[in-house]
């Protein structure tokens, strides 16, 4: 009887362990991926507790590459405001200047272009720098992803020796992502993430065929790790089967941390004020 009970407890233990989501490790280098993730999340949570707001200057450049040379089409100067709450973040961006083919455009053209771009961003469900890219690693979301630890990257990533994780959504959903994550081995901060939506937006008037994004992070003078550059590229079709191709890079400079921001700035329903 005791032997049967022992077998029963062993079976239950095996079943329970099998139900616990764990990170697969492709390499055997003595690193526990789950313990590593716990450390990474603790580092982000600590920084999040220290930062309530961020105001940053941004410059977005959009263009195309021909014969290995980049040709700029448009350029925007922006001011970005982020406010971190307990479990979300508020985001707002002001378009300050608009250049087309290197020439400064009128305020009227700036307002129109800003409005159009904010609407497109909302429709395409593009992530911005207020979104916590570590969401797939958190317990509430882990069941939605397969996460594999690929070891320390053989080549430096943005100048850092980095741990490499591959994240794959278990289902096709435009709210989930697939991506490669690289974390600094010394500070455990995210250095770069290359990602794309697990499902592309397909609506009656617009069909997105490709979209890839990348965010690069780095330390400020005060030691906070913030986004430095956001790259995005995609292809799609708009109404009447018009081909749409877009690619651009946004650069972030002069961050001002923990300055009071009036909540009213986030109340404008223009498609840019998102909660993450």
């Amino acid at each position: 009887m005791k032997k049967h009970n022992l077998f029963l407890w062993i079976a239950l233990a095996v079943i329970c362990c099998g139900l616990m989501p764990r990170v697969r490790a492709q390499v055997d280098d003595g690193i526990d991926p789950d313990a590593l993730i716990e450390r990474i999340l603790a580092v982000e949570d600590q920084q999040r507790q220290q930062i309530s707001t961020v105001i940053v200057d941004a410059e977005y450049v959009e263009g195309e590459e021909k014969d290995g040379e980049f040709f700029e089409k448009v350029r925007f100067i922006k001011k970005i405001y982020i406010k971190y709450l307990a479990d979300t973040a508020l985001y707002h961006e002001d378009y300050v200047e608009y250049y087309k083919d290197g020439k400064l455009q009128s305020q009227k053209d700036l307002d129109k272009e800003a409005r159009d771009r904010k609407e497109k961003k909302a429709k395409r469900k593009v992530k911005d720098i207020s979104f916590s890219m570590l969401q797939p690693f958190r317990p509430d979301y882990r069941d939605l992803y397969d996460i594999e630890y690929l070891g320390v990257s053989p080549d430096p990533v943005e100048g850092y020796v980095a741990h490499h994780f591959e994240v794959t959504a278990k289902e096709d959903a435009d709210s989930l992502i697939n991506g490669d994550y690289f974390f600094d081995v010394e500070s455990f901060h995210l250095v770069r993430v290359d990602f794309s939506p697990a499902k592309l937006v397909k609506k009656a008037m617009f069909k997105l065929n490709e979209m890839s994004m990348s965010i690069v992070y780095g330390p400020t003078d005060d030691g906070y790790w913030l986004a430095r550059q956001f790259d995005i590229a995609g292809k799609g079709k708009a109404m009447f089967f018009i081909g749409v191709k877009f690619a651009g890079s946004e650069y972030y400079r002069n961050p001002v941390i923990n300055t009071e921001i009036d909540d009213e700035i986030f109340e404008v329903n223009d498609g840019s004020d998102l909660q993450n």
Side-chain angles (χ1 to χ4, degrees):
M1 186 67 177
K2 291 182 179 180
K3 189 176 294 185
H4 288 302
N5 287 339
L6 178 60
F7 290 152
L8 177 60
W9 282 111
I10 292 174
L12 288 173
V14 170
I15 293 172
C16 290
C17 289
L19 294 175
M20 293 295 289
R22 293 187 61 81
V23 178
R24 297 196 307 273
Q26 191 181 73
V27 294
D28 183 13
D29 52 9
I31 295 176
D32 181 353
D34 292 290
L36 179 56
I37 288 175
E38 288 183 10
R39 178 59 175 160
I40 287 169
L41 293 177
V43 167
E44 186 190 61
D45 290 341
Q46 182 181 25
Q47 175 170 293
R48 188 86 175 231
Q49 291 172 5
Q50 296 172 340
I51 298 179
S52 59
T53 64
V54 175
I55 302 174
V56 63
D57 295 327
E59 181 180 24
Y60 176 73
V61 181
E62 188 173 278
E64 62 181 354
E65 187 174 309
K66 292 182 179 179
D67 300 325
E69 186 175 356
F70 180 79
F71 293 89
E72 176 184 320
K73 290 185 175 180
V74 298
R75 178 185 298 260
F76 293 95
I77 305 301
K78 301 193 289 185
K79 179 79 75 172
I80 293 175
Y81 303 82
I82 302 173
K83 185 171 186 176
Y84 296 102
L85 305 179
D87 57 355
T88 189
L90 304 178
Y91 177 93
H92 175 79
E93 58 185 0
D94 284 334
Y95 282 70
V96 181
E97 295 178 359
Y98 168 34
Y99 296 84
K100 186 175 182 180
D101 297 326
K103 297 180 180 179
L104 180 63
Q105 304 298 296
S106 67
Q107 184 65 43
K108 181 180 178 180
D109 289 337
L110 169 64
D111 293 340
K112 180 180 182 302
E113 193 70 19
R115 183 170 57 254
D116 291 346
R117 286 176 176 270
K118 289 176 181 180
E119 290 176 354
K120 289 177 181 178
K121 175 186 173 184
K123 289 179 181 178
R124 294 170 180 171
K125 298 187 177 182
V126 176
K127 305 296 184 186
D128 56 54
I129 59 172
S130 69
F131 179 78
S132 174
M133 292 307 303
L134 296 192
Q135 189 181 86
F137 295 88
R138 296 196 173 276
D140 292 347
Y141 295 88
R142 284 281 291 276
D143 288 340
L144 301 176
Y145 292 92
D146 288 322
I147 300 177
E148 186 172 3
Y149 176 61
L150 301 181
V152 174
S153 177
D155 301 313
V157 179
E158 307 300 328
Y160 293 89
V161 178
H163 294 291
H164 182 190
F165 285 88
E166 183 180 68
V167 171
T168 307
K170 291 183 179 180
E171 62 178 90
D172 294 335
D174 56 22
S175 60
L176 305 179
I177 62 173
N178 300 320
D180 288 280
Y181 286 73
F182 301 91
F183 298 90
D184 175 29
V185 298
E186 292 188 4
S187 69
F188 302 99
H189 280 287
L190 181 60
V191 174
R192 193 182 78 211
V193 53
D194 305 319
F195 64 104
S196 59
K199 180 180 180 181
L200 297 174
V201 174
K202 295 182 180 180
K203 296 185 177 181
M205 302 299 286
F206 182 78
K207 179 181 179 181
L208 194 58
N209 296 324
E210 296 179 19
M211 186 161 73
S212 60
M213 292 167 279
S214 179
I215 305 178
V216 175
Y217 298 83
T220 66
D221 292 339
D222 296 324
Y224 298 116
W225 282 65
L226 301 176
R228 288 184 171 177
Q229 182 174 334
F230 190 146
D231 299 314
I232 182 171
K235 295 180 181 179
K237 288 186 177 181
M239 55 184 178
F240 309 121
F241 303 100
I242 299 174
V244 177
K245 183 178 180 180
F246 56 94
S249 296
E250 190 160 85
Y251 306 93
Y252 308 103
R253 306 182 180 98
N254 308 318
V256 178
I257 298 171
N258 294 339
T259 296
E260 185 175 351
I261 301 176
D262 192 334
D263 286 344
E264 291 184 1
I265 198 173
F266 302 107
E267 295 176 359
V268 180
N269 186 18
D270 59 6
S272 67
D273 308 321
L274 306 178
Q275 294 186 348
N276 300 300

